[in-house]
Structures are given as structure tokens and as C-alpha cells.
Amino acid sequence: QVHVVESGGGLVQSGGSLSVSCAYSGSIFHLVAVGWYRQAPGHQRELVARVTSGASTDYADSVKGRFTISRDNAMKMAYLQMNSLKPEDTAVYYCNVQAYTTPTNWDSYWGQGTQVTVSS
């Protein structure tokens, strides 16, 4: 089992910056990817950014150039630095960890989410 916990959300003014963190723990045989997703009221959960085990990154078009995902393998942490925030970035941000816990058992694990609110 892999346990995922987000932290660092809060309230920020439009144009400001905020960083959210993701701590993951448990028996991980091979980490496939860590991603940040978000869900605003009345909307589906969407991918914001993802970093793979090979360190390649993907970003939603809406956040390219403003958000940066990073990962500390040794500390089992992932981060999302958010700059130039807009009111439309307001959402609950979730960390997702995709990993093998054994050589053949792959699964996807979610945290409980952290609220990010951007005021205009």
C-alpha cells in the first residue's frame, strides 16, 4: 500500500505564487509517475502536471510556463510550484502516485487533496 499526503494549499491573490507538496510512503518497488491533478466545483478532475520515473514532464496547456513540477526521489516528495496564478486555477489539487508495489502489481494512489483558492 502507498500512502499519499498533500500539503501547502491556501489562499493567494491573482498573480501570486504558491507551492504544494506531496509526500508518498509505503512499499514501492518501482515508481512509474507522480502527477498533480485538480478538480474545480462542477468540473471533472484534470491533469495539471506529471513527472515520470525517467524525469520527463507533461503539463496541461493551461498551466505551461506558469507551473513547474519537481520530484525528490530520496525524500519521496513531489512539488508543484505555481506562479502567475489566476482565479481559474482555483480547485482542489490532488497528488497521484503510480507505482509497482511488486514486480507485477501496478496501482494508482491518490491523496486527500489540498484546496488552492486564487482571489481576483
Side-chain angles (χ1 to χ4, degrees):
Q1 188 69 15
V2 176
H3 191 51
V4 180
V5 178
E6 304 95 337
S7 61
L11 173 65
V12 64
Q13 287 189 334
S14 181
S17 297
L18 197 64
S19 179
V20 288
S21 301
C22 171
Y24 50 94
S25 61
S27 180
I28 296 177
F29 177 78
H30 174 66
L31 185 68
V32 175
V34 180
W36 284 97
Y37 292 71
R38 67 186 181 187
Q39 187 168 18
H43 290 77
Q44 290 188 336
R45 191 172 297 190
E46 62 175 0
L47 175 67
V48 176
R50 186 179 68 159
V51 56
T52 70
S53 60
S56 63
T57 56
D58 293 305
Y59 293 92
D61 288 342
S62 60
V63 306
K64 283 180 181 177
R66 300 189 298 122
F67 290 12
T68 302
I69 188 171
S70 61
R71 195 178 76 188
D72 185 330
N73 291 336
M75 296 299 293
K76 293 186 177 180
M77 294 287 296
Y79 308 93
L80 185 68
Q81 176 64 42
M82 302 179 287
N83 299 326
S84 302
L85 281 159
K86 305 174 181 179
E88 51 264 43
D89 294 318
T90 296
V92 177
Y93 283 70
Y94 296 91
C95 181
N96 173 261
V97 173
Q98 297 179 22
Y100 283 88
T101 53
T102 71
T104 57
N105 183 50
W106 176 94
D107 214 330
S108 177
Y109 304 90
W110 293 91
Q112 81 289 347
T114 185
Q115 177 70 47
V116 171
T117 302
V118 184
S119 63
S120 57

